[in-house]
Amino acid sequence: MIRDKYLFYLLHIIRYNGSVDTLINFGLEYSQITNYLLQAIDDGLVENKEGVLELSNLGKERFLHLDKKLNPNNSNRYLLPQDTNKITKIDKFEIYLPDKTKLGF
Amino acid sequence: MKRYHKKFGTLNVNTLIKLNERFAIQKWEREENDLFERFCKMLSGLSEAQQALILELTRDFLKIDLATYPMHIRSALSEIESVDFIKAKTVFVMPLLQPEDFGKSKSSTTVAYLFQDPGTKSHYSIVDKNVFIIHTPEILSRHLDQVNNKDNVLLLVDDFIGTGETATNLLNFLIDEIGVTKNKIVVLALVAQEQGINTIESFGVDVYYSVLRKKGITDSYVSPTKEQFITLMSEIENNLKVNEQFRLGYKGSESLVTLIRTPNNTFPVFWFEPKLKNKEKVTAPFPR
């Protein structure tokens, strides 16, 4: 049984950006997240379409239900903290050069 | 000038499920030595294309646990066709080590020790023979006349043969310094890479093994995939700042193997854990 909070974020991740970092930052382990994913697939909330996970209709319904239940003020509906993009605080006089290997151009 | 790096890597749900499928196919326990977590942490430091490469190579990754060593020894013994070995009355078993490493605790000493295992001793190829384990070149020198006797053989054993460099050094030492007759020597390994087998056989010494391995990319994929994979792996190794001699595994061995200890012939991304400046500690699934 997955706690509502984790299930909400899990479904949110599958629906929007796919990165599991949010759940890692909650203190979950990769193995636990995998178990939750397998559980969600078993429960018919998530479909594995040739290696790409997508919410089923039931999953979309559950996601909206959990969203209303957990986020009555609607604040978390579309935004999740993007810890992936956090970097060390930069001094205002520091010149920032991104890692050239990480640039997309 | 400082460079700033992301505090966290990124791992996608799809990658997580694919990795879980690989674990299931390989029959690896996710919880064993935190292997799944270590694998995920390694993957999270890579780009999506690099992650896909590692997932692809993981299909062919060979993991041999200590518990299965006796089975692999028996399997290698079953392969022996050497007439000298078959006719021998006594087999002297010696760990295959660099001459300067005798006396140290190495995986080859474990393999030699396992010749005392009842399952190994009762194997049909040696059940009628006397088996003596020789731990050092000094003891070998004392028994040299017996080893060189026409009724006996010297069996050099190891769990892994990569480039064949260790075997070459030991064979030169045993033949030139100790005075062992070359055709008395037979090599046995649990896992052997093609390159190492060729090197040892070029000495005129027979090699027997349980599992034969080829290079993980060069011998397993065709162009242009092969070149794309080598480029991706080189990118990963650049980021890890892998020493030149370990690029694509020791002297380019391209191995995908872990045993009691992971050989340095395996691609470094699977075992190398450098401490890089300004970065989180790098985690490898099979650290040495």
Side-chain angles (χ1 to χ4, degrees), chain B:
Chain B
M1 184 178 74
K2 288 179 185 173
R3 285 191 180 277
Y4 293 91
H5 298 273
K6 283 179 180 179
K7 202 172 174 186
F8 302 99
T10 304
L11 206 57
N12 191 287
V13 279
N14 303 323
T15 310
L16 212 52
I17 286 294
K18 282 193 187 106
L19 181 64
N20 186 60
E21 285 167 6
R22 297 284 183 279
F23 267 61
I25 291 166
Q26 290 276 21
K27 297 189 172 60
W28 292 348
E29 293 292 332
R30 277 196 279 157
E31 282 72 28
E32 184 194 326
N33 298 327
D34 237 4
L35 186 58
F36 193 79
E37 297 302 309
R38 304 184 72 83
F39 233 104
C40 288
K41 282 176 187 165
M42 179 258 278
L43 288 174
S44 71
L46 306 178
S47 71
E48 270 187 40
Q50 292 165 350
Q51 287 174 359
L53 168 67
I54 299 302
L55 287 172
E56 172 66 26
L57 296 181
T58 303
R59 286 173 192 270
D60 192 34
F61 201 97
L62 177 68
K63 180 173 170 292
I64 292 186
D65 300 321
L66 179 59
T68 62
Y69 270 41
M71 184 271 284
H72 284 287
I73 292 173
R74 292 196 297 277
S75 163
L77 282 171
S78 301
E79 297 296 318
I80 295 184
E81 293 171 346
S82 156
V83 177
D84 282 326
F85 187 94
I86 293 166
K87 285 184 178 172
K89 289 179 180 160
T90 301
V91 178
F92 292 93
V93 177
M94 190 175 191
L96 199 164
L97 288 171
Q98 291 282 9
E100 63 271 23
D101 284 344
F102 278 98
K104 292 181 188 170
S105 177
K106 295 277 191 177
S107 50
S108 59
T109 56
T110 306
V111 178
Y113 185 71
L114 286 171
F115 273 79
Q116 293 184 339
D117 173 68
T120 310
K121 277 172 145 176
S122 63
H123 188 269
Y124 69 85
S125 66
I126 54 173
V127 69
D128 296 330
K129 305 184 197 307
N130 299 310
V131 176
F132 289 111
I133 298 172
I134 292 187
H135 295 286
T136 65
E138 291 73 31
I139 300 172
L140 180 66
S141 291
R142 289 206 291 274
H143 293 86
L144 190 60
D145 288 346
Q146 289 165 273
V147 172
N148 284 339
N149 183 297
K150 66 178 174 57
D151 287 334
N152 304 330
V153 287
L154 176 64
L155 186 66
L156 302 178
V157 299
D158 202 351
D159 59 354
F160 181 74
I161 290 172
T163 61
E165 193 177 283
T166 305
T168 304
N169 292 340
L170 182 62
L171 287 171
N172 280 326
F173 175 74
L174 294 177
I175 295 165
D176 299 339
E177 309 275 326
I178 305 288
V180 179
T181 307
K182 189 168 72 178
N183 61 15
K184 293 275 110 192
I185 304 174
V186 175
V187 172
L188 179 138
L190 276 60
V191 182
Q193 197 107 349
E194 221 167 31
Q195 185 189 359
I197 296 169
N198 294 337
T199 306
I200 298 169
E201 286 183 342
S202 70
F203 262 84
V205 171
D206 290 337
V207 187
Y208 301 97
Y209 43 83
S210 170
V211 186
L212 171 68
R213 301 291 290 180
K214 295 186 172 190
K215 288 192 172 189
I217 296 177
T218 309
D219 294 339
S220 305
Y221 298 92
V222 294
S223 299
T225 310
K226 179 163 68 176
E227 287 77 14
Q228 287 164 359
F229 282 4
I230 293 286
T231 305
L232 276 171
M233 189 58 92
S234 299
E235 279 174 22
I236 296 173
E237 294 181 355
N238 287 342
N239 291 339
L240 291 172
K241 307 214 182 313
V242 174
N243 186 301
E244 198 56 44
Q245 68 170 335
F246 296 116
R247 294 273 167 145
L248 305 176
Y250 182 67
K251 292 194 172 172
S253 320
E254 298 185 29
S255 304
L256 289 167
V257 177
T258 186
L259 298 130
I260 296 177
R261 189 165 189 238
T262 308
N264 59 17
N265 307 75
T266 291
F267 289 103
V269 67
F270 290 102
W271 56 265
F272 188 47
E273 293 190 321
K275 282 177 185 158
L276 301 175
K277 282 183 184 173
N278 298 330
K279 277 194 175 178
E280 296 273 301
K281 184 177 172 290
V282 176
T283 302
F286 306 107
R288 279 168 57 76

